[in-house]
Amino acid sequence: MARRCASRLTAFLVAAGMLIALGACSSSGSTVTKTPSASSPLGSVAVFLPSDGLTISQHTPLNKWTKFTPALTKSLENRGFSRGSINVTTSDSFDKQSRSIQDYVVNTLAITDNKAKKTSASSGSSLSGATQHAASNATLIVAPVVQLGDADTQYGDYASHSVTWGAAGGKSSGDDSTGTSGKSSADDPATTLRQAGDRLVSALKLARESGVHVIVVSNPIQGFTPDVFVQMSTAEQIGSLQAKLLASKLQLDKVSRDNPKSIEVLLPRTAAQDAADDTDSADSATKDGSQDDFAAEAFVGIWKVLGPYVAAGKVVSPSGSFNAKTTQKDWQASAFDASKPQQVKDELARRLGMEQKKTPHTRIDGIIAMNDFVASSAIDELDSLQYTGSAADVNPSITISGVLDNIAGKKDLLRGSVPDPAKQPAANDTTTTPENTEKNNSRWPIVTGYGAYIDTIPQVVNGRLWMTGLEDRQLMAANIAQACEQLDRGQDIGKLPFIAPANVNGAQVPTIQGQPLAVSASNLKKTLIDPGYITLAEAGL
């Protein structure tokens, strides 16, 4: 027995040595916000999150990692983890993060092994068993750093992207000591990226094998299966959410093909050059072409909802970007480079055939803008094109005074809209005049977005933006903290009501399922103001 324990200890030391060899440098540039100073009865929790860039503008999503850190820390403390046992490290690149995690795993297991030696000596238990028992009191939470193109950053930090670095087990160009360009492997971005990925997976696997619990947040990691996966908003969920609410708001089930609704999908994509630059970046934990994956998957979510209405003739696109023959794979017809506000404005004017801004208005009933960056620019262009009114014209109960009464608890804003007639007026209808037609066509459309940008919330209040969405980070943080407690106590996490098995890299993994929150004027108080996500002043109230 003693010889077997010694061999296991030797294997552990060899594995730790191999990890150190993968990257001896520590993660310079990472920020440690808490340093363990005392042990918790529940053990320790090490959290590794991406760092946010300096944000001085309110034109940014509420879904930011810098906002998630205090929410998670507070939730862990509420579950019984001591403040000193919670260690948070942020990194601005995938490479630096992999080194930070490697350092943590090696150091933690070394400390654990020393404790196990003392326990083994005093109790007579096996060294390997004591090591795993001590390590089981440690939990590692990782949200992998993903370098995104301009289009994907518009949704906020939490939207899910797979973390990959080429074919599993395969070799990228530049695997040899010199790459195809003659550069050393150390200078080859693809090689650097693959090395960071291999380093991260090796460290996480060693941690799990030693008894450390590993929770991966938002972004699945190629080649690694965690104890728990935290599913935040996917592209398909974001697209589906907006399409469902738009379909409900416009009452598409009641619409006749003789008077269809006019809808445009403004699907932002990363410019080709930006995608190429990100693919070459050493810090980009994404595969070739993945910058378009998010847009493609978002369209799948949209089309599962809108597709049947389009096929039935109840929905049409003024620009012809989709029609009855469109499938889920035809996302590119609705996509465009939306990295700058003017690009969004020009695209919307083109879709409506109003580039000169002097033509009669084109009827537009709904715009799925995908995120608040695109939505805010679309709203500016609609205003410039002299579309009038707001969502209050579709649902007259939504007014600023009504929102104020709702927040004060005096008024319910949930009231149905007035349905359109089953048929459009005939051309020879004497009651239809050019003036009436123009007034009808210039009505403000229902505009949807996502991200809950602080400076767009007042647009929700005044009805220019019908709805936005965001991740309920407080609920997500609370669920992660409860999962950590359950793991540390050795209890079955599958019994937690918010956990269900899901496919992660081909394996069924206990998953904390997240659903994005939909925010409109009718629930603004409940979803944003009461939880403290925004203030009354930020809502324009």
Side-chain angles (χ1 to χ4, degrees), residues 163-173 175 190 193-194 198 222-223 286-288:
V163 182
T164 60
W165 47 88
K171 292 186 177 182
S172 305
S173 60
D175 267 342
L193 176 60
R194 189 185 65 255
D198 290 343
Q222 173 186 314
T286 54
K287 63 185 178 183
D288 293 346

Side-chain angles (χ1 to χ4, degrees), residues 340-358:
K340 297 179 180 179
Q342 191 59 48
Q343 292 172 313
V344 179
K345 296 176 183 179
D346 292 345
E347 178 71 10
L348 181 56
R350 184 193 68 77
R351 299 250 191 127
L352 298 177
M354 297 182 64
E355 296 96 324
Q356 304 305 317
K357 300 185 180 180
K358 293 182 180 180

Side-chain angles (χ1 to χ4, degrees), residues 22 45 83 105 213 217 316 329 350 440 456 502 527:
L22 278 171
V45 179
R83 179 181 295 269
V105 171
H213 308 298
V217 179
V316 297
K329 297 180 180 180
R350 184 193 68 77
N440 182 62
T456 61
T527 56

Side-chain angles (χ1 to χ4, degrees), residues 69-142:
T69 300
L72 180 57
T73 301
K74 181 179 179 181
S75 294
L76 287 168
E77 291 176 2
N78 290 342
R79 300 306 303 189
F81 291 91
S82 68
R83 179 181 295 269
S85 69
I86 304 169
N87 179 44
V88 180
T89 302
T90 61
S91 305
D92 60 7
S93 77
F94 184 59
D95 182 62
K96 291 178 181 177
Q97 185 182 56
S98 70
R99 295 178 187 276
S100 292
I101 293 171
Q102 172 194 269
D103 291 347
Y104 163 80
V105 171
V106 172
N107 292 336
T108 297
L109 295 187
I111 294 171
T112 300
D113 184 62
N114 287 333
K115 291 181 179 179
K117 287 180 180 178
K118 295 178 181 179
T119 302
S120 176
S122 61
S123 64
S125 61
S126 71
L127 182 56
S128 60
T131 300
Q132 289 203 344
H133 177 74
S136 65
N137 283 329
T139 302
L140 181 56
I141 301 174
V142 181

Side-chain angles (χ1 to χ4, degrees), residues 9 79 158 354 374 413 523 528 540:
L9 177 58
R79 300 306 303 189
Y158 307 157
M354 297 182 64
V374 176
L413 296 181
N523 67 354
L528 291 185

Side-chain angles (χ1 to χ4, degrees), residues 270-282:
T270 297
Q273 185 57 48
D274 289 342
D277 291 344
D278 283 333
T279 299
D280 291 338
S281 170

Side-chain angles (χ1 to χ4, degrees), residues 14-217:
V14 169
M18 290 174 66
L19 273 179
I20 296 173
L22 278 171
C25 299
S26 106
S27 56
S28 59
S30 298
T31 303
V32 180
T33 57
K34 288 182 182 293
T35 302
S37 58
S39 60
S40 164
L42 286 173
S44 62
V45 179
V47 184
F48 293 85
L49 302 176
S51 59
D52 295 332
L54 179 63
T55 302
I56 59 176
S57 169
Q58 287 191 320
H59 197 57
T60 186
L62 284 178
N63 290 345
K64 302 292 288 180
W65 289 121
T66 188
K67 299 285 188 179
F68 188 74
T69 300
L72 180 57
T73 301
K74 181 179 179 181
S75 294
L76 287 168
E77 291 176 2
N78 290 342
R79 300 306 303 189
F81 291 91
S82 68
R83 179 181 295 269
S85 69
I86 304 169
N87 179 44
V88 180
T89 302
T90 61
S91 305
D92 60 7
S93 77
F94 184 59
D95 182 62
K96 291 178 181 177
Q97 185 182 56
S98 70
R99 295 178 187 276
S100 292
I101 293 171
Q102 172 194 269
D103 291 347
Y104 163 80
V105 171
V106 172
N107 292 336
T108 297
L109 295 187
I111 294 171
T112 300
D113 184 62
N114 287 333
K115 291 181 179 179
K117 287 180 180 178
K118 295 178 181 179
T119 302
S120 176
S122 61
S123 64
S125 61
S126 71
L127 182 56
S128 60
T131 300
Q132 289 203 344
H133 177 74
S136 65
N137 283 329
T139 302
L140 181 56
I141 301 174
V142 181
V145 176
V146 180
Q147 196 75 21
L148 302 175
D150 289 339
D152 290 355
T153 61
Q154 296 167 0
Y155 296 93
D157 291 344
Y158 307 157
S160 181
H161 299 78
S162 294
V163 182
T164 60
W165 47 88
K171 292 186 177 182
S172 305
S173 60
D175 267 342
D176 299 328
S177 58
T178 58
T180 55
S181 63
K183 295 181 180 180
S184 67
S185 60
D187 296 327
D188 179 36
T191 300
T192 302
L193 176 60
R194 189 185 65 255
Q195 289 175 342
D198 290 343
R199 180 188 304 118
L200 176 62
V201 170
S202 295
L204 294 180
K205 285 183 176 179
L206 178 60
R208 281 203 71 192
E209 290 167 1
S210 302
V212 176
H213 308 298
V214 180
I215 298 176
V216 173
V217 179

Side-chain angles (χ1 to χ4, degrees), residues 282-516:
D283 294 335
S284 177
T286 54
K287 63 185 178 183
D288 293 346
S290 67
Q291 295 298 346
D292 280 342
D293 284 353
F294 198 89
E297 291 168 10
F299 190 76
V300 169
I302 294 169
W303 207 245
K304 284 181 178 179
V305 178
L306 285 189
Y309 295 112
V310 176
K314 295 183 175 185
V315 169
V316 297
S317 162
S319 68
S321 58
F322 58 77
N323 54 49
K325 295 182 179 179
T326 298
T327 69
Q328 295 178 9
K329 297 180 180 180
D330 298 323
W331 63 274
Q332 295 189 22
S334 297
F336 68 105
D337 180 10
S339 54
K340 297 179 180 179
Q342 191 59 48
Q343 292 172 313
V344 179
K345 296 176 183 179
D346 292 345
E347 178 71 10
L348 181 56
R350 184 193 68 77
R351 299 250 191 127
L352 298 177
M354 297 182 64
E355 296 96 324
Q356 304 305 317
K357 300 185 180 180
K358 293 182 180 180
T359 58
H361 284 84
T362 298
R363 176 178 173 177
I364 179 71
D365 298 295
I367 297 175
I368 296 179
M370 291 310 302
N371 59 64
D372 288 4
F373 178 89
V374 176
S376 62
S377 298
I379 289 169
D380 288 343
E381 184 63 11
L382 289 169
D383 190 58
S384 176
L385 294 173
Q386 298 183 347
Y387 282 83
T388 59
S390 71
D393 298 318
V394 180
N395 185 342
S397 68
I398 304 298
T399 62
I400 291 180
S401 61
V403 172
L404 288 171
D405 286 342
N406 173 259
I407 290 175
K410 299 178 181 179
K411 186 174 183 180
D412 183 4
L413 296 181
L414 299 177
R415 198 171 83 189
S417 61
V418 179
D420 279 353
K423 294 184 178 181
Q424 291 182 347
N428 59 358
D429 190 339
T430 57
T431 63
T432 301
T433 65
E435 290 79 12
N436 287 340
T437 299
E438 172 64 9
K439 181 179 180 180
N440 182 62
N441 289 349
S442 64
R443 289 186 307 179
W444 196 269
I446 301 302
V447 182
T448 69
Y450 183 84
Y453 286 35
I454 295 175
D455 64 346
T456 61
I457 299 302
Q459 301 280 28
V460 175
V461 173
N462 64 29
R464 293 297 183 94
L465 179 63
W466 168 242
M467 63 78 57
T468 185
L470 75 161
E471 202 77 55
D472 190 347
R473 66 169 177 267
Q474 292 182 4
L475 177 61
M476 192 66 72
N479 289 344
I480 293 173
Q482 188 173 353
C484 288
E485 179 190 10
Q486 202 89 342
L487 287 169
D488 277 0
R489 293 189 185 282
Q491 298 173 348
D492 183 7
I493 61 172
K495 295 183 178 180
L496 295 175
F498 50 81
I499 283 184
N503 188 299
V504 179
N505 293 333
Q508 289 295 303
V509 176
T511 300
I512 298 176
Q513 304 282 354
Q515 291 291 334

